[in-house]
Amino acid sequence: MYNMLLVDDEPIIVDSYYELLSDKFENKLNIEKAYSASEAIQKARNRIDILVTDIIMPRMDGYELKKEICRIWPKCHVIFLTGNDDVQYAQNAIRNGPFVDYILKTENFEMLIGAVNKAINSIENIIKTDEVLKNIQKNIKLALPLLRKELFMDIINGKNNDIENINHKFKQYDIELCIDKPVILLC
């Protein structure tokens, strides 16, 4: 399950979005509510995967809240909400770094559901990519001793005399030797 935090200073907005999203994403999201940015920051002690936040709030706006939450949880996906259709708010959202979507509160609930689905898909893609990278790193670690052995056998048998190539392979295979320094070979 992914953790979502809904933040708005209007309780009716938070509560209605909470009901809608809880029903729609019952098996995918653990949803928390906050009625202010300071309450949201307190709840950010737990991992936040998706932040849905109003932009205009007292004391700390949604942009500042996003920065604070993303400082704590850098992989957090952000969806901005606003009741103001002024282009300046959209521009500020874009200029304030990565976010998943920007939704007007006057738009239908399907827009919010679409944005949440987009965030979930992005998170799942990141997880899959991370797993592939971990598997690649694991396989490289398994292959490294064989590659090192093959390199040393080629050097010993005189098959590889190119100093630049050998130095490059030493770095590539994490061998802390320098080809221009003397080495005593023990078998």
mmCIF file of all heavy atoms in Angstrom, residues 146-185:
data_model
loop_
_atom_site.group_PDB
_atom_site.id
_atom_site.type_symbol
_atom_site.label_atom_id
_atom_site.label_comp_id
_atom_site.label_asym_id
_atom_site.label_seq_id
_atom_site.Cartn_x
_atom_site.Cartn_y
_atom_site.Cartn_z
ATOM 1 N N LEU A 146 34.895 -13.613 -11.998
ATOM 2 C CA LEU A 146 35.242 -14.285 -13.257
ATOM 3 C C LEU A 146 35.893 -13.319 -14.241
ATOM 4 O O LEU A 146 36.859 -13.680 -14.928
ATOM 5 C CB LEU A 146 33.985 -14.907 -13.882
ATOM 6 C CG LEU A 146 33.333 -16.023 -13.089
ATOM 7 C CD1 LEU A 146 32.016 -16.431 -13.729
ATOM 8 C CD2 LEU A 146 34.264 -17.219 -12.970
ATOM 9 N N LEU A 147 35.396 -12.108 -14.300
ATOM 10 C CA LEU A 147 35.986 -11.112 -15.187
ATOM 11 C C LEU A 147 37.401 -10.755 -14.749
ATOM 12 O O LEU A 147 38.308 -10.610 -15.583
ATOM 13 C CB LEU A 147 35.106 -9.849 -15.207
ATOM 14 C CG LEU A 147 33.732 -9.999 -15.854
ATOM 15 C CD1 LEU A 147 32.872 -8.772 -15.578
ATOM 16 C CD2 LEU A 147 33.861 -10.236 -17.347
ATOM 17 N N ARG A 148 37.604 -10.625 -13.438
ATOM 18 C CA ARG A 148 38.948 -10.338 -12.925
ATOM 19 C C ARG A 148 39.910 -11.472 -13.255
ATOM 20 O O ARG A 148 41.042 -11.234 -13.696
ATOM 21 C CB ARG A 148 38.895 -10.130 -11.406
ATOM 22 C CG ARG A 148 38.238 -8.853 -10.979
ATOM 23 C CD ARG A 148 38.086 -8.788 -9.483
ATOM 24 N NE ARG A 148 37.473 -7.548 -9.043
ATOM 25 C CZ ARG A 148 36.901 -7.383 -7.866
ATOM 26 N NH1 ARG A 148 36.880 -8.378 -6.993
ATOM 27 N NH2 ARG A 148 36.359 -6.238 -7.550
ATOM 28 N N LYS A 149 39.463 -12.708 -13.043
ATOM 29 C CA LYS A 149 40.306 -13.881 -13.326
ATOM 30 C C LYS A 149 40.697 -13.904 -14.802
ATOM 31 O O LYS A 149 41.871 -14.111 -15.147
ATOM 32 C CB LYS A 149 39.563 -15.167 -12.958
ATOM 33 C CG LYS A 149 40.337 -16.420 -13.273
ATOM 34 C CD LYS A 149 39.533 -17.650 -12.926
ATOM 35 C CE LYS A 149 40.284 -18.909 -13.350
ATOM 36 N NZ LYS A 149 39.488 -20.103 -13.114
ATOM 37 N N GLU A 150 39.706 -13.655 -15.671
ATOM 38 C CA GLU A 150 39.974 -13.659 -17.112
ATOM 39 C C GLU A 150 40.969 -12.564 -17.483
ATOM 40 O O GLU A 150 41.893 -12.795 -18.276
ATOM 41 C CB GLU A 150 38.663 -13.471 -17.874
ATOM 42 C CG GLU A 150 38.827 -13.560 -19.378
ATOM 43 C CD GLU A 150 37.497 -13.406 -20.099
ATOM 44 O OE1 GLU A 150 36.501 -13.988 -19.650
ATOM 45 O OE2 GLU A 150 37.486 -12.685 -21.114
ATOM 46 N N LEU A 151 40.839 -11.394 -16.895
ATOM 47 C CA LEU A 151 41.758 -10.296 -17.170
ATOM 48 C C LEU A 151 43.177 -10.660 -16.744
ATOM 49 O O LEU A 151 44.134 -10.476 -17.509
ATOM 50 C CB LEU A 151 41.299 -9.023 -16.448
ATOM 51 C CG LEU A 151 42.242 -7.820 -16.532
ATOM 52 C CD1 LEU A 151 42.403 -7.363 -17.984
ATOM 53 C CD2 LEU A 151 41.730 -6.680 -15.670
ATOM 54 N N PHE A 152 43.331 -11.192 -15.527
ATOM 55 C CA PHE A 152 44.673 -11.559 -15.053
ATOM 56 C C PHE A 152 45.280 -12.685 -15.890
ATOM 57 O O PHE A 152 46.477 -12.672 -16.181
ATOM 58 C CB PHE A 152 44.642 -11.932 -13.568
ATOM 59 C CG PHE A 152 44.566 -10.732 -12.659
ATOM 60 C CD1 PHE A 152 43.507 -10.581 -11.775
ATOM 61 C CD2 PHE A 152 45.536 -9.742 -12.681
ATOM 62 C CE1 PHE A 152 43.424 -9.484 -10.939
ATOM 63 C CE2 PHE A 152 45.464 -8.642 -11.857
ATOM 64 C CZ PHE A 152 44.401 -8.502 -10.980
ATOM 65 N N MET A 153 44.460 -13.636 -16.300
ATOM 66 C CA MET A 153 44.979 -14.721 -17.151
ATOM 67 C C MET A 153 45.454 -14.164 -18.492
ATOM 68 O O MET A 153 46.496 -14.585 -19.010
ATOM 69 C CB MET A 153 43.915 -15.803 -17.358
ATOM 70 C CG MET A 153 43.583 -16.595 -16.096
ATOM 71 S SD MET A 153 45.027 -17.331 -15.277
ATOM 72 C CE MET A 153 45.513 -18.556 -16.457
ATOM 73 N N ASP A 154 44.710 -13.212 -19.054
ATOM 74 C CA ASP A 154 45.129 -12.589 -20.314
ATOM 75 C C ASP A 154 46.438 -11.821 -20.141
ATOM 76 O O ASP A 154 47.314 -11.866 -21.010
ATOM 77 C CB ASP A 154 44.037 -11.642 -20.836
ATOM 78 C CG ASP A 154 42.857 -12.377 -21.442
ATOM 79 O OD1 ASP A 154 42.944 -13.608 -21.632
ATOM 80 O OD2 ASP A 154 41.827 -11.705 -21.724
ATOM 81 N N ILE A 155 46.598 -11.122 -19.007
ATOM 82 C CA ILE A 155 47.830 -10.371 -18.755
ATOM 83 C C ILE A 155 48.998 -11.338 -18.588
ATOM 84 O O ILE A 155 50.068 -11.152 -19.185
ATOM 85 C CB ILE A 155 47.684 -9.465 -17.513
ATOM 86 C CG1 ILE A 155 46.674 -8.342 -17.795
ATOM 87 C CG2 ILE A 155 49.033 -8.873 -17.100
ATOM 88 C CD1 ILE A 155 46.270 -7.543 -16.568
ATOM 89 N N ILE A 156 48.807 -12.398 -17.806
ATOM 90 C CA ILE A 156 49.864 -13.379 -17.561
ATOM 91 C C ILE A 156 50.277 -14.077 -18.849
ATOM 92 O O ILE A 156 51.460 -14.285 -19.109
ATOM 93 C CB ILE A 156 49.409 -14.412 -16.500
ATOM 94 C CG1 ILE A 156 49.311 -13.736 -15.136
ATOM 95 C CG2 ILE A 156 50.361 -15.614 -16.440
ATOM 96 C CD1 ILE A 156 48.605 -14.572 -14.081
ATOM 97 N N ASN A 157 49.313 -14.413 -19.691
ATOM 98 C CA ASN A 157 49.595 -15.124 -20.940
ATOM 99 C C ASN A 157 49.988 -14.192 -22.078
ATOM 100 O O ASN A 157 50.194 -14.648 -23.210
ATOM 101 C CB ASN A 157 48.382 -15.967 -21.360
ATOM 102 C CG ASN A 157 48.133 -17.107 -20.395
ATOM 103 O OD1 ASN A 157 49.069 -17.692 -19.859
ATOM 104 N ND2 ASN A 157 46.869 -17.407 -20.158
ATOM 105 N N GLY A 158 50.099 -12.885 -21.795
ATOM 106 C CA GLY A 158 50.547 -11.917 -22.787
ATOM 107 C C GLY A 158 49.501 -11.576 -23.834
ATOM 108 O O GLY A 158 49.833 -11.011 -24.877
ATOM 109 N N LYS A 159 48.243 -11.885 -23.605
ATOM 110 C CA LYS A 159 47.184 -11.595 -24.583
ATOM 111 C C LYS A 159 46.709 -10.148 -24.493
ATOM 112 O O LYS A 159 46.070 -9.660 -25.408
ATOM 113 C CB LYS A 159 45.993 -12.529 -24.371
ATOM 114 C CG LYS A 159 46.285 -13.977 -24.672
ATOM 115 C CD LYS A 159 45.042 -14.810 -24.448
ATOM 116 C CE LYS A 159 45.339 -16.280 -24.683
ATOM 117 N NZ LYS A 159 44.179 -17.125 -24.356
ATOM 118 N N ASN A 160 47.012 -9.499 -23.396
ATOM 119 C CA ASN A 160 46.549 -8.125 -23.212
ATOM 120 C C ASN A 160 47.729 -7.286 -22.751
ATOM 121 O O ASN A 160 48.120 -7.321 -21.594
ATOM 122 C CB ASN A 160 45.413 -8.087 -22.177
ATOM 123 C CG ASN A 160 44.706 -6.749 -22.154
ATOM 124 O OD1 ASN A 160 45.184 -5.766 -22.699
ATOM 125 N ND2 ASN A 160 43.558 -6.720 -21.507
ATOM 126 N N ASN A 161 48.311 -6.503 -23.672
ATOM 127 C CA ASN A 161 49.466 -5.667 -23.357
ATOM 128 C C ASN A 161 49.153 -4.172 -23.450
ATOM 129 O O ASN A 161 50.034 -3.358 -23.216
ATOM 130 C CB ASN A 161 50.633 -5.995 -24.291
ATOM 131 C CG ASN A 161 51.151 -7.398 -24.063
ATOM 132 O OD1 ASN A 161 51.116 -7.901 -22.949
ATOM 133 N ND2 ASN A 161 51.612 -8.047 -25.125
ATOM 134 N N ASP A 162 47.948 -3.811 -23.816
ATOM 135 C CA ASP A 162 47.555 -2.412 -23.974
ATOM 136 C C ASP A 162 47.354 -1.791 -22.586
ATOM 137 O O ASP A 162 46.394 -2.090 -21.877
ATOM 138 C CB ASP A 162 46.277 -2.326 -24.797
ATOM 139 C CG ASP A 162 45.818 -0.888 -25.036
ATOM 140 O OD1 ASP A 162 46.552 0.058 -24.670
ATOM 141 O OD2 ASP A 162 44.716 -0.714 -25.595
ATOM 142 N N ILE A 163 48.292 -0.915 -22.191
ATOM 143 C CA ILE A 163 48.299 -0.339 -20.850
ATOM 144 C C ILE A 163 47.030 0.460 -20.573
ATOM 145 O O ILE A 163 46.440 0.350 -19.487
ATOM 146 C CB ILE A 163 49.560 0.527 -20.636
ATOM 147 C CG1 ILE A 163 50.783 -0.369 -20.631
ATOM 148 C CG2 ILE A 163 49.465 1.335 -19.349
ATOM 149 C CD1 ILE A 163 52.091 0.356 -20.562
ATOM 150 N N GLU A 164 46.564 1.255 -21.528
ATOM 151 C CA GLU A 164 45.338 2.034 -21.322
ATOM 152 C C GLU A 164 44.135 1.120 -21.103
ATOM 153 O O GLU A 164 43.308 1.358 -20.227
ATOM 154 C CB GLU A 164 45.074 2.947 -22.526
ATOM 155 C CG GLU A 164 45.809 4.263 -22.461
ATOM 156 C CD GLU A 164 45.391 5.193 -23.587
ATOM 157 O OE1 GLU A 164 44.181 5.296 -23.869
ATOM 158 O OE2 GLU A 164 46.283 5.817 -24.165
ATOM 159 N N ASN A 165 44.055 0.065 -21.901
ATOM 160 C CA ASN A 165 42.955 -0.894 -21.777
ATOM 161 C C ASN A 165 43.007 -1.608 -20.426
ATOM 162 O O ASN A 165 41.975 -1.780 -19.763
ATOM 163 C CB ASN A 165 43.011 -1.902 -22.930
ATOM 164 C CG ASN A 165 41.837 -2.861 -22.904
ATOM 165 O OD1 ASN A 165 40.748 -2.523 -22.455
ATOM 166 N ND2 ASN A 165 42.063 -4.069 -23.389
ATOM 167 N N ILE A 166 44.208 -1.993 -20.000
ATOM 168 C CA ILE A 166 44.347 -2.682 -18.713
ATOM 169 C C ILE A 166 43.951 -1.752 -17.565
ATOM 170 O O ILE A 166 43.208 -2.137 -16.660
ATOM 171 C CB ILE A 166 45.786 -3.218 -18.523
ATOM 172 C CG1 ILE A 166 46.058 -4.338 -19.538
ATOM 173 C CG2 ILE A 166 45.995 -3.723 -17.107
ATOM 174 C CD1 ILE A 166 47.498 -4.789 -19.593
ATOM 175 N N ASN A 167 44.423 -0.497 -17.590
ATOM 176 C CA ASN A 167 44.058 0.469 -16.548
ATOM 177 C C ASN A 167 42.540 0.702 -16.526
ATOM 178 O O ASN A 167 41.938 0.778 -15.453
ATOM 179 C CB ASN A 167 44.783 1.802 -16.751
ATOM 180 C CG ASN A 167 46.127 1.832 -16.054
ATOM 181 O OD1 ASN A 167 46.315 1.184 -15.021
ATOM 182 N ND2 ASN A 167 47.058 2.568 -16.614
ATOM 183 N N HIS A 168 41.962 0.798 -17.712
ATOM 184 C CA HIS A 168 40.506 0.979 -17.791
ATOM 185 C C HIS A 168 39.786 -0.212 -17.159
ATOM 186 O O HIS A 168 38.838 -0.040 -16.379
ATOM 187 C CB HIS A 168 40.075 1.150 -19.256
ATOM 188 C CG HIS A 168 38.598 1.199 -19.444
ATOM 189 N ND1 HIS A 168 37.835 2.275 -19.068
ATOM 190 C CD2 HIS A 168 37.742 0.283 -19.951
ATOM 191 C CE1 HIS A 168 36.576 2.018 -19.334
ATOM 192 N NE2 HIS A 168 36.483 0.813 -19.876
ATOM 193 N N LYS A 169 40.228 -1.416 -17.452
ATOM 194 C CA LYS A 169 39.586 -2.604 -16.895
ATOM 195 C C LYS A 169 39.835 -2.719 -15.388
ATOM 196 O O LYS A 169 38.966 -3.178 -14.660
ATOM 197 C CB LYS A 169 40.049 -3.862 -17.628
ATOM 198 C CG LYS A 169 39.497 -3.918 -19.042
ATOM 199 C CD LYS A 169 39.456 -5.279 -19.595
ATOM 200 C CE LYS A 169 38.802 -5.187 -20.960
ATOM 201 N NZ LYS A 169 38.307 -6.397 -21.446
ATOM 202 N N PHE A 170 40.997 -2.298 -14.928
ATOM 203 C CA PHE A 170 41.245 -2.279 -13.483
ATOM 204 C C PHE A 170 40.204 -1.404 -12.779
ATOM 205 O O PHE A 170 39.632 -1.803 -11.772
ATOM 206 C CB PHE A 170 42.650 -1.768 -13.178
ATOM 207 C CG PHE A 170 43.750 -2.801 -13.298
ATOM 208 C CD1 PHE A 170 43.493 -4.103 -13.678
ATOM 209 C CD2 PHE A 170 45.057 -2.455 -13.021
ATOM 210 C CE1 PHE A 170 44.509 -5.036 -13.783
ATOM 211 C CE2 PHE A 170 46.081 -3.384 -13.115
ATOM 212 C CZ PHE A 170 45.809 -4.675 -13.501
ATOM 213 N N LYS A 171 39.971 -0.213 -13.323
ATOM 214 C CA LYS A 171 38.964 0.678 -12.740
ATOM 215 C C LYS A 171 37.574 0.074 -12.851
ATOM 216 O O LYS A 171 36.794 0.116 -11.898
ATOM 217 C CB LYS A 171 39.000 2.039 -13.435
ATOM 218 C CG LYS A 171 40.214 2.860 -13.096
ATOM 219 C CD LYS A 171 40.222 4.174 -13.845
ATOM 220 C CE LYS A 171 41.542 4.887 -13.622
ATOM 221 N NZ LYS A 171 41.671 6.059 -14.485
ATOM 222 N N GLN A 172 37.281 -0.477 -14.018
ATOM 223 C CA GLN A 172 35.961 -1.051 -14.269
ATOM 224 C C GLN A 172 35.667 -2.231 -13.347
ATOM 225 O O GLN A 172 34.540 -2.407 -12.894
ATOM 226 C CB GLN A 172 35.893 -1.492 -15.736
ATOM 227 C CG GLN A 172 34.540 -1.853 -16.233
ATOM 228 C CD GLN A 172 34.560 -2.187 -17.722
ATOM 229 O OE1 GLN A 172 35.591 -2.491 -18.299
ATOM 230 N NE2 GLN A 172 33.396 -2.128 -18.332
ATOM 231 N N TYR A 173 36.674 -3.033 -13.050
ATOM 232 C CA TYR A 173 36.490 -4.238 -12.229
ATOM 233 C C TYR A 173 36.852 -4.011 -10.763
ATOM 234 O O TYR A 173 36.990 -4.941 -9.993
ATOM 235 C CB TYR A 173 37.343 -5.390 -12.770
ATOM 236 C CG TYR A 173 37.021 -5.824 -14.186
ATOM 237 C CD1 TYR A 173 37.906 -6.615 -14.893
ATOM 238 C CD2 TYR A 173 35.852 -5.446 -14.827
ATOM 239 C CE1 TYR A 173 37.629 -7.031 -16.188
ATOM 240 C CE2 TYR A 173 35.573 -5.851 -16.113
ATOM 241 C CZ TYR A 173 36.471 -6.638 -16.796
ATOM 242 O OH TYR A 173 36.187 -7.040 -18.074
ATOM 243 N N ASP A 174 37.039 -2.759 -10.365
ATOM 244 C CA ASP A 174 37.379 -2.398 -8.983
ATOM 245 C C ASP A 174 38.648 -3.100 -8.499
ATOM 246 O O ASP A 174 38.710 -3.609 -7.379
ATOM 247 C CB ASP A 174 36.227 -2.706 -8.018
ATOM 248 C CG ASP A 174 35.037 -1.795 -8.219
ATOM 249 O OD1 ASP A 174 35.241 -0.636 -8.619
ATOM 250 O OD2 ASP A 174 33.897 -2.247 -7.982
ATOM 251 N N ILE A 175 39.664 -3.099 -9.334
ATOM 252 C CA ILE A 175 40.959 -3.666 -8.974
ATOM 253 C C ILE A 175 41.874 -2.498 -8.621
ATOM 254 O O ILE A 175 42.115 -1.626 -9.447
ATOM 255 C CB ILE A 175 41.565 -4.491 -10.138
ATOM 256 C CG1 ILE A 175 40.625 -5.640 -10.500
ATOM 257 C CG2 ILE A 175 42.957 -5.000 -9.779
ATOM 258 C CD1 ILE A 175 41.004 -6.377 -11.773
ATOM 259 N N GLU A 176 42.347 -2.474 -7.391
ATOM 260 C CA GLU A 176 43.140 -1.344 -6.923
ATOM 261 C C GLU A 176 44.622 -1.558 -7.205
ATOM 262 O O GLU A 176 45.447 -1.572 -6.296
ATOM 263 C CB GLU A 176 42.863 -1.109 -5.445
ATOM 264 C CG GLU A 176 41.424 -0.685 -5.197
ATOM 265 C CD GLU A 176 41.143 -0.378 -3.737
ATOM 266 O OE1 GLU A 176 42.090 -0.206 -2.961
ATOM 267 O OE2 GLU A 176 39.950 -0.305 -3.389
ATOM 268 N N LEU A 177 44.911 -1.710 -8.474
ATOM 269 C CA LEU A 177 46.298 -1.809 -8.932
ATOM 270 C C LEU A 177 46.512 -0.766 -10.012
ATOM 271 O O LEU A 177 45.585 -0.354 -10.679
ATOM 272 C CB LEU A 177 46.584 -3.197 -9.525
ATOM 273 C CG LEU A 177 46.535 -4.396 -8.576
ATOM 274 C CD1 LEU A 177 46.725 -5.689 -9.359
ATOM 275 C CD2 LEU A 177 47.584 -4.274 -7.486
ATOM 276 N N CYS A 178 47.769 -0.377 -10.166
ATOM 277 C CA CYS A 178 48.119 0.567 -11.216
ATOM 278 C C CYS A 178 49.142 -0.130 -12.106
ATOM 279 O O CYS A 178 50.165 -0.634 -11.617
ATOM 280 C CB CYS A 178 48.683 1.838 -10.604
ATOM 281 S SG CYS A 178 48.944 3.133 -11.817
ATOM 282 N N ILE A 179 48.906 -0.160 -13.389
ATOM 283 C CA ILE A 179 49.724 -0.934 -14.327
ATOM 284 C C ILE A 179 51.171 -0.454 -14.379
ATOM 285 O O ILE A 179 52.082 -1.228 -14.659
ATOM 286 C CB ILE A 179 49.079 -0.933 -15.735
ATOM 287 C CG1 ILE A 179 49.664 -2.031 -16.624
ATOM 288 C CG2 ILE A 179 49.222 0.405 -16.419
ATOM 289 C CD1 ILE A 179 49.318 -3.396 -16.190
ATOM 290 N N ASP A 180 51.423 0.814 -14.055
ATOM 291 C CA ASP A 180 52.795 1.317 -14.126
ATOM 292 C C ASP A 180 53.561 1.176 -12.809
ATOM 293 O O ASP A 180 54.696 1.605 -12.696
ATOM 294 C CB ASP A 180 52.812 2.772 -14.616
ATOM 295 C CG ASP A 180 51.992 3.703 -13.750
ATOM 296 O OD1 ASP A 180 51.255 3.209 -12.875
ATOM 297 O OD2 ASP A 180 52.080 4.929 -13.965
ATOM 298 N N LYS A 181 52.976 0.532 -11.813
ATOM 299 C CA LYS A 181 53.644 0.256 -10.533
ATOM 300 C C LYS A 181 54.025 -1.229 -10.500
ATOM 301 O O LYS A 181 53.277 -2.086 -11.008
ATOM 302 C CB LYS A 181 52.734 0.567 -9.352
ATOM 303 C CG LYS A 181 52.206 1.985 -9.310
ATOM 304 C CD LYS A 181 53.246 2.926 -8.795
ATOM 305 C CE LYS A 181 52.576 4.297 -8.619
ATOM 306 N NZ LYS A 181 53.416 5.382 -8.837
ATOM 307 N N PRO A 182 55.145 -1.554 -9.866
ATOM 308 C CA PRO A 182 55.563 -2.971 -9.825
ATOM 309 C C PRO A 182 54.614 -3.804 -8.944
ATOM 310 O O PRO A 182 54.070 -3.337 -7.957
ATOM 311 C CB PRO A 182 56.961 -2.916 -9.209
ATOM 312 C CG PRO A 182 57.101 -1.582 -8.593
ATOM 313 C CD PRO A 182 56.105 -0.668 -9.239
ATOM 314 N N VAL A 183 54.413 -5.052 -9.366
ATOM 315 C CA VAL A 183 53.563 -5.980 -8.653
ATOM 316 C C VAL A 183 54.301 -7.302 -8.534
ATOM 317 O O VAL A 183 54.977 -7.748 -9.465
ATOM 318 C CB VAL A 183 52.248 -6.218 -9.439
ATOM 319 C CG1 VAL A 183 51.402 -7.303 -8.787
ATOM 320 C CG2 VAL A 183 51.448 -4.939 -9.554
ATOM 321 N N ILE A 184 54.197 -7.925 -7.376
ATOM 322 C CA ILE A 184 54.784 -9.251 -7.196
ATOM 323 C C ILE A 184 53.640 -10.254 -7.339
ATOM 324 O O ILE A 184 52.630 -10.185 -6.631
ATOM 325 C CB ILE A 184 55.439 -9.390 -5.818
ATOM 326 C CG1 ILE A 184 56.584 -8.384 -5.691
ATOM 327 C CG2 ILE A 184 55.933 -10.818 -5.597
ATOM 328 C CD1 ILE A 184 57.184 -8.340 -4.308
ATOM 329 N N LEU A 185 53.783 -11.156 -8.280
ATOM 330 C CA LEU A 185 52.748 -12.127 -8.544
ATOM 331 C C LEU A 185 53.019 -13.398 -7.750
ATOM 332 O O LEU A 185 54.083 -13.988 -7.821
ATOM 333 C CB LEU A 185 52.715 -12.455 -10.035
ATOM 334 C CG LEU A 185 51.634 -13.418 -10.492
ATOM 335 C CD1 LEU A 185 50.261 -12.845 -10.199
ATOM 336 C CD2 LEU A 185 51.775 -13.688 -11.987
#
